[in-house]
Amino acid sequence: FSISLFRSSTCFLQGKRTLAFMSPLRNYSSSDETIVLPEREYGYASKPFTWPDLVEIIREKPNLAKLSRSVEQQTEYIRYTRNMLKEWKTVYDHVLVSKFELSKRRMPNPNHDGRNATLWEAYPPLSELTQVKKVLCRNDFPYYMDDGIEHWCLWKLCQDIQDQEVEEAKEELRQLFGQDAEFLCWRNPPHLKSLPDIDHYHILVRKGEVPN
C-alpha cells in the first residue's frame, strides 16, 4: 500500500527556530520491494547503542565506522532515498529545499518512465550558491541508539563549520534539553560522508532536565 510520508522536526535556521520537513513523496511505498543492504565492516547494529558505547566509539577509542543503523532503519533509509530520487534531481536538491528553505522548480526528467516526466530541483543550484547559511536539525535517519539520545546535524553552506559554531549549536540545543545536557560531536572523515559538498557536523544529545 502507498502512504504519504511527511516528517517534521524542530530546526534552528541561522539561530531562528523553525520546522523542517522531509518532503512528502507521492511515490513513497512501504511495499515489500527487494532491498539489498550494502555490506559494512562491522555490520548493522543489532541492539541500541548506549551512551557509554557512543562515548567509547566517538571520543575514547575513535572508530566512527562502528556507528550504524539497525537493519530495519537502514532498509527504511534506502527505501525513502530510492523513492525520493523519483521526484528530486539529487539528494542535494532535496536537502537544500527541505533544510535550507531554498526555492524549487521543475526540470525535465531525462530518465522518466512515463509517470515522472519532471523532477524537482533546488534553485539556485548548489554550484551557484554564495551566501553562507547554517541550519541545525534533527537527523531524519539516526543511528540505532537508546531512548533519551537524539541525533542532530549542523549544516553549513559555502564554508566549513568552525568550532565556535558547534558550541553555538550546543547552546541552542540546551534550550530544548536543559543546561545539563551531554553532547558528543564530530565531523565524519571524507570516506564516511554521505553529502561531502555540504559541510555538516553530527551532534548526539543525551537529555538533561527539560526546562518548563
Side-chain angles (χ1 to χ4, degrees):
F1 63 98
S2 295
I3 61 175
S4 175
L5 184 68
F6 203 80
R7 301 170 187 252
S8 67
S9 62
T10 301
C11 271
F12 296 91
L13 181 60
Q14 299 293 88
K16 180 181 178 181
R17 191 177 301 187
T18 63
L19 286 178
F21 296 92
M22 292 177 67
S23 298
L25 301 181
R26 293 171 299 163
N27 297 309
Y28 185 85
S29 172
S30 61
S31 62
D32 295 329
E33 58 183 315
T34 300
I35 292 179
V36 179
L37 299 184
E39 292 186 5
R40 303 185 74 257
E41 180 180 0
Y42 297 99
Y44 293 91
S46 58
K47 61 180 181 179
F49 291 106
T50 65
W51 189 257
D53 292 336
L54 296 165
V55 169
E56 178 176 329
I57 291 170
I58 296 165
R59 183 184 294 163
E60 295 177 349
K61 300 177 182 178
N63 190 348
L64 298 175
K66 289 184 176 181
L67 296 172
S68 72
R69 305 178 182 97
S70 67
V71 168
E72 293 78 10
Q73 289 173 317
Q74 186 67 17
T75 300
E76 177 70 8
Y77 169 74
I78 291 174
R79 181 179 289 119
Y80 183 88
T81 302
R82 179 183 294 178
N83 284 280
M84 186 235 322
L85 290 173
K86 295 177 182 177
E87 298 188 19
W88 289 83
K89 181 180 177 181
T90 67
V91 176
Y92 284 105
D93 291 276
H94 183 263
V95 168
L96 291 173
V97 173
S98 63
K99 304 303 184 191
F100 290 96
E101 300 184 350
L102 266 65
S103 298
K104 64 180 180 179
R105 64 182 181 184
R106 286 288 188 179
M107 60 159 286
N109 180 1
N111 302 311
H112 77 87
D113 57 5
R115 292 187 303 168
N116 294 6
T118 62
L119 296 172
W120 287 113
E121 68 175 353
Y123 183 78
L126 182 61
S127 60
E128 296 179 11
L129 296 177
T130 58
Q131 180 181 359
V132 175
K133 203 170 187 179
K134 294 180 294 183
V135 63
L136 175 64
C137 288
R138 284 186 177 92
N139 190 324
D140 295 314
F141 293 97
Y143 299 121
Y144 190 25
M145 300 178 295
D146 269 350
D147 292 340
I149 303 172
E150 291 200 7
H151 188 170
W152 288 66
C153 286
L154 173 63
W155 302 82
K156 187 176 181 181
L157 294 176
C158 301
Q159 287 184 4
D160 288 343
I161 295 169
Q162 305 301 311
D163 291 345
Q164 180 58 34
E165 292 170 321
V166 177
E167 293 303 312
E168 292 168 359
K170 289 161 64 174
E171 188 56 39
E172 296 279 12
L173 291 172
R174 288 189 182 98
Q175 296 179 31
L176 293 178
F177 304 121
Q179 291 301 310
D180 59 345
E182 296 180 83
F183 300 95
L184 291 168
C185 309
W186 76 97
R187 176 194 277 126
N188 274 335
H191 70 283
L192 293 178
K193 289 184 176 181
S194 56
L195 294 171
D197 292 335
I198 303 178
D199 195 31
H200 54 287
Y201 254 80
H202 295 266
I203 303 176
L204 303 184
V205 189
R206 181 160 71 165
K207 296 180 181 180
E209 182 179 352
V210 179
N212 295 325

